[in-house]
Amino acid sequence: MQQPSPHIWNKHVETMDRASLEALQLERLQETVRRVYQNVPVYRERMQAAGVEPGDIRSLKDLRLLPFTQKTDLRDNYPYGLFAAPQEDIVRVHASSGTTGKPIVAGYTQHDLQVWAEVVARCLGCAHVHKNDTVQVSYGYGLFTGGLGLHGGAERIGAKVVPTSAGNTKRQLMLMQDLGTTAIACTPSYALLMGETMRDTGMDLSKLKLRTGMFGAEPWTEGMRDQIQNLLHITALDIYGLTETMGPGVAMECMEGRYGLHIWEDHFIPEILDPATGEPLPDGEMGELCITTITKEGMPTIRYRTHDLTCIIPEPCPCGRTHRRIRRLHGRTDDMLIIRGVNVFPSQVEASIVGIDGIAPRYLLVVDRVNNLDVLEVQVELAPELLADEVRKIEDLSRRVQRSIEQVLGLSVKLRLMEPGSIERSEGKSKHVVDKRKLYD
Ligand code: DLL
């Protein structure tokens, strides 16, 4: 047998044989189910309604007995209703967009942060990033999990971390050169923007030490990978995760395979479901990824419906890691958009404009990518009773609507007020999005 890659961070776990891995999964699943049953009334009531008790989970197959968890459950139990640890044990919270005005909140215990750093450390190993590397973290820091998530993993491996966060591209590039950055972590669209800025400002690439990049938090294509690699002269790898189950580091593409992302199965149990029926699909078939966290204490999620479309790649990977891979994401089953790395639901826009005088509750989101930067135009219709020539009133209204939408989305938008009756009506389900970007292969 081929030797496992020397770059593996945690060889014992990452190359564990299937039987041992599954035994570990079962033990941890049972413990997690007991924990949520005892500590989270929502989970207990759901399980009782489904006629399941923690003792019924005797094999991994019994996972199917458990009810699903959805984003709406996080919304309905905002902010702490799904936490399974006492508040005094929670040491960090992160958040991401919910479907309406309120975000969804995730909580972490000390142990959760250690696990998070461990899985991100494995991801860095996948990208051949080690102690001697200088890792520039250009994901946003703050409630978004990207910045602090990558940061924790990079510190864990003992790399030198440069926490630039996102934005101020010219300064990013100056630091990248001056500090000798060897690995970068940011959204793929931001990597492209950096690459183009380098090219357009005539930056001398030979002065950079950059070797590799870990890109995720939004969909990207093989075409974008080629562009990033050509512009930055690096290897570009895909990293996946979501706030509800932890943040970045749930799965990562490896340098050796460069096809599919290893999902860390000792912490997350993946299932691929038929999105319509919720029935599990066999390996290799495309469906909705559903994740059960099996080591999280702060906010475990049981059978969480991610709405991300992918499939399990059952074949072994040349790197020697035994944790199975999921394919690069293929789309979403819902209407969530990711704009400059920020998750946006059309329903958030709706929530932010209802009740504003002079506005009809009709809107359309037009998304485009201009010079590698996502641009969101929100068209909002004026109420018919408003006279179109009341310019001052309209300007004032425009400011109010824009502020309201931007506050809810956490994102700057271009607002276009539309004449009454001009946004297309559809029979049945309204169409609220025109996405001109080609984001999935
Ligand atoms: O985006 C966590 C993250 C940060 C992942 C940095 C990777 C790097 P959320 O803001 O909760 O968390 O958004 C999660 O983003 O359900 C996917 O739809 C999408 N997404 C995340 N990674 C990828 C990826 C972070 N590699 C949602 N490819 C997920 C495509 C991705 N989509």
Side-chain angles (χ1 to χ4, degrees), residues 157-172:
I157 64 168
K160 186 191 290 142
V161 190
V162 185
T164 47
S165 194
N168 202 341
T169 310
K170 288 204 174 127
R171 188 161 151 269
Q172 297 263 1

Side-chain angles (χ1 to χ4, degrees), residues 148-376:
L148 285 164
L150 263 296
H151 188 111
E155 272 190 355
R156 178 69 188 274
I157 64 168
K160 186 191 290 142
V161 190
V162 185
T164 47
S165 194
N168 202 341
T169 310
K170 288 204 174 127
R171 188 161 151 269
Q172 297 263 1
L173 297 180
M174 178 190 77
L175 290 171
M176 191 182 283
Q177 182 173 318
D178 296 350
L179 304 182
T181 301
T182 51
I184 177 109
C186 62
T187 59
S189 54
Y190 195 49
L192 266 185
L193 187 71
M194 284 196 204
E196 294 203 333
T197 310
M198 281 177 189
R199 188 190 60 199
D200 298 344
T201 55
M203 195 168 171
D204 183 357
L205 278 176
S206 69
K207 292 209 173 116
L208 291 185
K209 294 194 178 144
L210 203 59
R211 251 184 19 243
T212 179
M214 289 140 290
F215 306 119
E218 63 181 12
W220 55 311
T221 57
E222 284 300 320
M224 275 178 81
R225 188 197 317 251
D226 290 344
Q227 275 179 291
I228 294 172
Q229 298 193 144
N230 291 337
L231 281 166
L232 293 169
H233 295 191
I234 59 171
T235 306
L237 298 169
D238 199 356
I239 180 165
Y240 170 76
L242 64 162
T243 314
E244 296 88 323
T245 63
M246 181 162 276
V250 171
M252 172 81 197
E253 206 172 37
C254 65
M255 188 74 90
E256 293 79 7
R258 271 184 241 184
Y259 177 67
L261 296 82
H262 293 280
I263 179 158
W264 307 121
E265 294 186 86
D266 56 325
H267 296 290
F268 309 99
I269 302 185
E271 294 173 272
I272 301 292
L273 308 176
D274 178 327
T277 64
E279 282 304 309
L281 292 172
D283 285 355
E285 265 188 51
M286 188 67 73
E288 179 185 343
L289 177 64
C290 174
I291 298 177
T292 301
T293 66
I294 50 172
T295 48
K296 273 192 78 187
E297 297 177 341
M299 197 184 78
T301 37
I302 305 290
R303 302 195 84 197
Y304 185 72
R305 302 282 296 253
T306 66
H307 290 276
D308 288 317
L309 286 170
T310 181
C311 63
I312 300 266
I313 302 170
E315 292 82 25
C317 184
C319 71
R321 291 178 181 85
T322 50
H323 296 230
R324 290 173 305 165
R325 286 169 292 168
I326 53 169
R327 238 190 73 172
R328 172 194 279 283
L329 294 208
H330 194 65
R332 288 195 52 94
T333 63
D334 63 2
D335 54 3
M336 187 181 94
L337 301 160
I338 306 181
I339 298 169
R340 301 201 290 277
V342 178
N343 302 351
V344 171
F345 289 90
S347 49
Q348 287 178 285
V349 171
E350 187 163 320
S352 67
I353 60 167
V354 286
I356 300 185
D357 276 349
I359 289 296
R362 299 221 167 262
Y363 62 94
L364 184 70
L365 277 59
V366 182
V367 202
D368 207 351
R369 194 161 269 179
V370 182
N371 298 329
N372 289 315
L373 211 61
D374 291 334
V375 182
L376 169 62

